[in-house]
Amino acid sequence: MTIRKLHDGREDGLSPLESLDLGKVDSFAGLLQAMSQTAFGGRNLGEAYGVLGEMFDDADCSVVLTLSGAMTVAKQGLIICEMIDRGLVQAVVATGALIAHGLTESIGLAHYRYHPSDSDDDLYEAGYNRIYDTLEMESNLNDVEKLVRSVLKSQSPPDGVWSSARLCRAVGSRLAEMNQGRGILRSAFEQEIPVFIPAFTDSEIGLDVATWAMAEWIAGQSKEATALDSAEVLSAVPSFNPFLDLQEYARLAGGAERLGILTVGGGVPRNWAQQVAPYYEISNARLGTKWKQPQFQYGVRICPEPVHWGGLSGCTYSEGVSWGKFVSPNAGGRFAEVYADATVALPLLMKAILEDRDSRE
């Protein structure tokens, strides 16, 4: 019988953990640094703080922020504005719903707390749209439509064709003129960074643009709207080309010295932003070009979805390495995964990041 030779962790180069001593913590940054020496979700959050700090401190790194979920309804919008205003991110990729609900705040409107005793049928009749535990008023979205319509009527995009980034810039410009409050699109316009909405028609803003196009078509007809066939009206489409977004984002990523990504949630924004490396790779293979493939050097993801469900939102950064989207950790890539509700994790992370940066300025 072979008797095991028991090893000492330190002699084998293992990193010992440290108990979290709150008596020695006097800042959010200090708390997350200490948590990185603990275990489980706390360690994940602490390690994410370390990766974010290095990524934001890398002057040659262009950071892409991807956003999904109801983060603006959940009152996280000002955190995103702060990141943009402080120059921490160089591009935003988001769902249209998140941007639309953020616009309600930008024009001085409010969201409300939902009470579980309220019937969803009654909410519908009252014009209250429920998003988990929060209410978005239908009248808010009508006011957002008026904003979008006013921009479409008064501004013309280059070559007469809209993209999500072009429209977001135009709306951001109008918000800056109105000066009714902070907002993601206003901050992005003022800091001259693009906001992309890849699944544009899957949003209130997309529907606003579609109804505007149909209204313009109806206005050019000789018949009253009530006499028009629905198939006729629904054939009217806006001058909108999503490939303008794809190419603008590809140019931005390709021109970066290094790339980093902070992903909140998953969905279309996550994958659309990450697919830029395979896009370059297949372009080289099919076009005969020799462009440098832009891979992400840093990455932090905050998403509660586990890997084993098989959905894209839960796929790991190591899986992304197999697609050529990320620099392998063996080649210097730094990544962190936080399996948590972003409304809990993001405020803690960004408070620590901003606190640390302020202390060094």
Side-chain angles (χ1 to χ4, degrees):
M1 178 178 178
T2 302
I3 299 177
R4 290 185 300 160
K5 179 182 179 181
L6 302 182
H7 288 221
D8 179 272
R10 286 184 173 82
E11 291 179 357
D12 285 342
L14 301 182
S15 300
L17 300 182
E18 299 176 12
S19 290
L20 183 59
D21 186 348
L22 294 179
K24 296 180 179 179
V25 171
D26 57 7
S27 66
F28 282 90
L31 175 61
L32 290 184
Q33 287 172 342
M35 288 170 66
S36 70
Q37 302 303 313
T38 61
F40 312 140
R43 185 198 299 174
N44 291 339
L45 193 64
E47 290 178 344
Y49 168 69
V51 175
L52 283 180
E54 183 175 335
M55 180 174 74
F56 290 142
D57 283 346
D58 187 340
D60 294 323
C61 180
S62 294
V63 177
V64 180
L65 172 65
T66 79
L67 301 165
S68 64
M71 293 296 285
T72 45
V73 166
K75 303 295 129 186
Q76 308 296 300
L78 292 184
I79 298 176
I80 299 164
C81 291
E82 197 71 18
M83 296 170 67
I84 296 171
D85 292 338
R86 291 188 178 229
L88 298 181
V89 299
Q90 283 67 54
V92 175
V93 184
T95 63
L98 185 148
I99 296 298
H101 295 309
L103 284 175
T104 64
E105 283 189 313
S106 299
I107 56 178
L109 305 175
H111 300 112
Y112 295 91
R113 184 188 297 260
Y114 158 74
H115 194 279
S117 64
D118 293 336
S119 159
D120 287 305
D121 291 329
D122 292 342
L123 292 176
Y124 172 76
E125 292 299 328
Y128 295 144
N129 302 305
R130 183 164 71 88
I131 306 169
Y132 183 44
D133 63 356
T134 303
L135 301 175
E136 171 73 275
M137 297 172 65
E138 186 66 23
S139 60
N140 285 356
L141 299 179
N142 288 337
D143 285 341
V144 168
E145 185 276 333
K146 293 175 185 177
L147 170 67
V148 173
R149 177 165 24 109
S150 72
V151 170
L152 292 170
K153 282 183 171 291
S154 63
Q155 298 192 38
S156 297
D159 307 319
V161 182
W162 288 105
S163 68
S164 70
R166 289 176 173 182
L167 184 59
C168 285
R169 288 189 190 97
V171 173
S173 173
R174 179 61 54 83
L175 292 174
E177 295 171 1
M178 295 167 61
N179 195 28
Q180 291 183 327
R182 299 176 73 186
I184 295 172
L185 294 190
R186 177 180 178 179
S187 289
F189 167 74
E190 292 175 341
Q191 300 304 320
E192 298 182 340
I193 74 164
V195 176
F196 301 100
I197 305 175
F200 185 73
T201 56
D202 182 26
S203 69
E204 176 70 25
I205 301 177
L207 302 185
D208 294 343
V209 174
T211 55
W212 169 78
M214 290 189 291
E216 292 292 295
W217 184 85
I218 290 172
Q221 305 304 304
S222 57
K223 295 187 291 185
E224 293 291 327
T226 53
L228 293 170
D229 184 81
S230 62
E232 288 183 280
V233 180
L234 289 170
S235 296
V237 296
S239 183
F240 185 96
N241 189 342
F243 287 97
L244 291 170
D245 288 323
L246 176 64
Q247 302 296 57
E248 181 180 344
Y249 178 69
R251 293 193 299 272
L252 182 150
E257 183 71 23
R258 277 185 294 280
L259 279 176
I261 188 168
L262 170 56
T263 289
V264 176
V268 172
R270 169 195 170 94
N271 190 66
W272 190 87
Q274 292 179 179
Q275 72 178 358
V276 66
Y279 183 42
Y280 268 71
E281 184 178 26
I282 63 174
S283 295
N284 285 337
R286 297 169 187 176
L287 305 179
T289 52
K290 295 183 179 180
W291 302 331
K292 178 184 176 183
Q293 187 173 332
Q295 297 177 307
F296 289 97
Q297 180 87 25
Y298 308 96
V300 170
R301 176 174 69 107
I302 306 170
C303 180
E305 185 177 345
V307 177
H308 60 264
W309 297 137
L312 180 63
S313 296
C315 73
T316 60
Y317 285 123
S318 60
E319 180 179 312
V321 170
S322 76
W323 287 83
K325 299 175 180 179
F326 300 97
V327 175
S328 170
N330 296 328
R334 286 206 65 193
F335 310 107
E337 312 266 1
V338 180
Y339 294 95
D341 182 336
T343 63
V344 176
L346 185 65
L348 293 173
L349 283 169
M350 291 315 304
K351 179 63 177 179
I353 288 289
L354 298 179
E355 181 184 74
D356 176 63
R357 294 176 73 87
D358 288 342
S359 71
R360 290 184 282 137
E361 291 179 356

